[in-house]
Amino acid sequence: GAPPGRHARFVPGRIEVLGKHTDYAGGESLTCASTHGFAAFVHPWERPALRVEDLARGQSAELDFEDPRPTASWMVYPAAVVRRVVRHFGAPRHGVRIVMASDLPSASGMSSSSALVVTVLLALLGEHDGALPFENRADLAGFGGAIESGADWRDLPGDAGVGTKGGSQDHTSILCGKEGHLSLFGYHPISCY
């Protein structure tokens, strides 16, 4: 296995079959995880910051845990994750570096932004020593959706999010979907059938 603090991960995109806008308006959706997504290698970083290196685009950026201000438009999503994770659970025990590549086309309807949120969220939470309030993947998906939309999650207050109205349909499909299957999910609260 990988040394402590180092791991590889694949986070898929999402394909929506039925149920548009149900994640924040209520109801059910039929979705599946895509075979395309983010391949990421996560390991410690020497500064108290998140460093993201996008090999597919040849871009990199860093966000300080204390003041995560994005310097590139694509870093708005990782910045929203850093803000919420640090505010609610404290900073990870050390800096985190994500080296990633994605074959998800941007703005294709396959939830590339939500897959990026999940990639960063899993990387940061994987470096926490304390107890976290997630009992299952549905809880984690709900929190990921709240990060993106800026909504409150349980008793944890929200913020501006990334500036789009959304919920957790994408995050639920990404985290709770089963490989090779269509999955039916309900929302408010999230239910995995």
Side-chain angles (χ1 to χ4, degrees), residues 10-17 30-37 104 110-111 169-183 185:
F10 177 76
V11 176
R14 181 267 312 141
I15 299 171
E16 178 183 83
V17 179
L30 187 63
T31 65
C32 68
S34 167
T35 57
H36 299 279
L104 276 172
M110 294 178 69
S111 302
Q169 176 177 314
D170 302 341
H171 310 84
T172 302
S173 182
I174 290 166
L175 287 164
C176 302
K178 293 182 180 139
E179 184 177 344
H181 292 84
L182 288 175
S183 299
F185 301 111

Side-chain angles (χ1 to χ4, degrees), residues 2-70:
R6 297 174 187 265
H7 56 275
R9 174 173 321 276
F10 177 76
V11 176
R14 181 267 312 141
I15 299 171
E16 178 183 83
V17 179
L18 294 169
K20 198 159 193 70
H21 305 296
T22 55
D23 52 350
Y24 56 87
E28 297 174 334
S29 68
L30 187 63
T31 65
C32 68
S34 167
T35 57
H36 299 279
F38 283 84
F41 180 67
V42 180
H43 60 92
W45 183 240
E46 66 254 11
R47 292 185 3 82
L50 169 70
R51 179 169 177 82
V52 181
E53 298 175 23
D54 184 340
L55 298 178
R57 292 184 174 91
Q59 299 175 325
S60 64
E62 210 168 293
L63 298 163
D64 288 331
F65 290 152
E66 295 280 323
D67 187 18
R69 294 179 191 225

